[in-house]
Each structure stands twice: as structure tokens, then as C-alpha cells.
Amino acid sequence: HMPVARVSSMPAALKTLKAAGVKLYGFEASKGTSIWKSDLTGPVALVLGGENKGIRPHIYIELDGVIHMPLKGSIGSLNVSATAAIALFEAVRQRDKQGK
């Protein structure tokens, strides 16, 4: 189980998270650091954009980094739910590996 919060202003919510020491990582189809080389063990928020529009520019500027999923063959990107599932699984895997 995972707590979920709805917010009325995403930029304000991200600024609040940043002020609390949470790192903000956005996911892009082919930009940034590979998820397999990213450190997801600390306090992080994963930001995923819409499937057609991606992360909006006013959100993008708040990010501490950008992560991508390395894909094979002719697959250009995954849908947002698949990306979220893989990203969350990788964060849990990294934390389990470190005993957190």
C-alpha cells in the first residue's frame, strides 16, 4: 500500500516537497540518466507526465533530475502506467538492496 495525495497546485506541491528535502525526478522517454544508474534510495518524488504531452514546462523547471527507461528495439516509449510501475519497483528494489 502507498499513501496518495491530491493537490490543487502541482508546482506548489513540488516546492513544498523540495523544501522538505525530497529530490524530484522526472521521467522522459529518452532524456536524462538511465533508471538503472539512478539513486532512488533517498526521499524522492517521481514525476511522470501525460502520455502525449510529457512533463509540462512549468513542472519541468522544478525537477532535480531527469530519468529515462532504456528500451530495446523499436519501442520508443512506454505508457505512463507501465513507466510508473517499473520506476516504483526499481525504487523498492534499490531500497531492499540497501536494507532500507
Side-chain angles (χ1 to χ4, degrees), residues 36-68:
W36 316 130
K37 295 179 181 176
S38 299
D39 181 5
L40 302 175
T41 59
V44 298
L46 307 177
V47 179
L48 294 92
E51 291 181 16
N52 294 324
K53 296 181 181 178
I55 299 171
R56 304 216 177 211
H58 68 285
I59 301 296
Y60 203 89
I61 62 173
E62 298 297 332
L63 300 177
D64 294 303
V66 177
I67 297 172
H68 75 273

Side-chain angles (χ1 to χ4, degrees), residues 36 40 46 83-96:
W36 316 130
L40 302 175
L46 307 177
T83 300
I86 294 167
L88 292 171
F89 183 86
E90 177 60 10
V92 170
R93 187 195 70 79
Q94 288 183 17
R95 291 161 192 233
D96 283 349

Side-chain angles (χ1 to χ4, degrees), residues 5 7-9 13 20 28 45 49 51-53 57 59 65 71 75 80 82:
V7 298
S8 58
S9 170
E28 290 284 338
E51 291 181 16
N52 294 324
K53 296 181 181 178
I59 301 296
L71 302 174
I75 298 171
V80 70

